[in-house]
Amino acid sequence: EIMMAPIYAPSGESWHNVPTWNAAYIDGLYENYRSYGNLTLVKDHWEQMDLQAMSYIAQLKSDKYYDGSPKKVWLWYDNIGLNDWQAPDGTNGAPEGCGIVGTAAVYRCLEEMCYFARLLGKDDRILVYEDAMKNIYKAFNETYFDKESGHYETGFWNTAWAHSRDKYRQTNDLT
């Protein structure tokens, strides 16, 4: 059974496994290794990092949100987390939704975990992570890339921002 990894930051008024926050754990250990080349922390934290990565994979494979409503498989939730910022009114209502950045954060963590797995000789996990990454990549591009405009677009729009923002979101293309 996959358990929830520790939660590091709130999402609105509740706590969820939100990769835009919680990815700091794996990202931080990755950057520490890149900077100093010391595998000690990676070895010491492998089990917990793997737990977090497997939790992300389980959540992305699901076709349901936390509340049981349907969601697209291999994409992060559009209603839990944040995009490039939390909405000023305290809701999770960034104009572009949360799914695109949450999905990208999980993909990046899985890339980092593949790197660590290679260093540690965890070949079985490399296959699991790479398989998930292929599915994420396909779902991400099929869902968010608009061939006509040449931009990534979430299709999510918080109308509260219509008076002061246009629908093009730079974050979507940078992600």
Side-chain angles (χ1 to χ4, degrees):
E1 179 180 356
I2 302 299
M3 303 295 292
M4 177 81 71
I7 306 301
Y8 303 113
S11 174
E13 295 185 19
S14 60
W15 294 78
H16 299 285
N17 187 14
V18 179
T20 48
W21 288 108
N22 298 344
Y25 179 53
I26 294 171
D27 293 342
L29 288 164
Y30 177 78
E31 290 303 323
N32 180 279
Y33 177 77
R34 270 186 359 120
S35 297
Y36 303 107
N38 185 333
L39 265 178
T40 303
L41 286 174
V42 175
K43 289 176 184 174
D44 289 350
H45 289 265
W46 170 260
E47 286 184 30
Q48 187 59 43
M49 289 189 304
D50 182 59
L51 179 66
Q52 183 167 329
M54 295 305 289
S55 175
Y56 287 155
I57 291 170
Q59 288 176 276
L60 287 179
K61 285 171 83 171
S62 175
D63 63 353
K64 295 196 179 356
Y65 285 106
Y66 287 105
D67 65 3
S69 61
K71 80 164 194 62
K72 291 185 179 181
V73 175
W74 294 111
L75 298 174
W76 198 257
Y77 311 96
D78 240 343
N79 64 347
I80 296 174
L82 59 97
N83 199 340
D84 55 349
W85 49 271
Q86 183 80 9
D89 65 359
T91 67
N92 290 331
E96 60 277 21
C98 314
I100 193 167
V101 172
T103 304
V106 170
Y107 189 91
R108 184 188 65 243
C109 282
L110 294 178
E111 280 183 316
E112 293 165 351
M113 290 300 291
C114 277
Y115 183 78
F116 289 150
R118 281 186 182 86
L119 291 173
L120 300 175
K122 308 264 186 196
D123 296 341
D124 58 324
R125 279 302 194 230
I126 294 169
L127 298 175
V128 172
Y129 300 148
E130 285 180 343
D131 183 60
M133 289 168 58
K134 286 176 191 170
N135 286 303
I136 294 166
Y137 184 87
K138 183 177 184 224
F140 188 92
N141 284 292
E142 285 176 355
T143 302
Y144 297 127
F145 188 69
D146 180 347
K147 290 179 184 174
E148 190 174 309
S149 71
H151 294 289
Y152 285 87
E153 170 61 48
T154 65
F156 181 92
W157 181 247
N158 182 337
T159 56
W161 297 102
H163 68 284
S164 62
R165 303 257 179 158
D166 65 30
K167 285 183 92 171
Y168 172 74
R169 305 306 297 158
Q170 179 176 319
T171 298
N172 296 341
D173 283 333
L174 294 173
T175 301

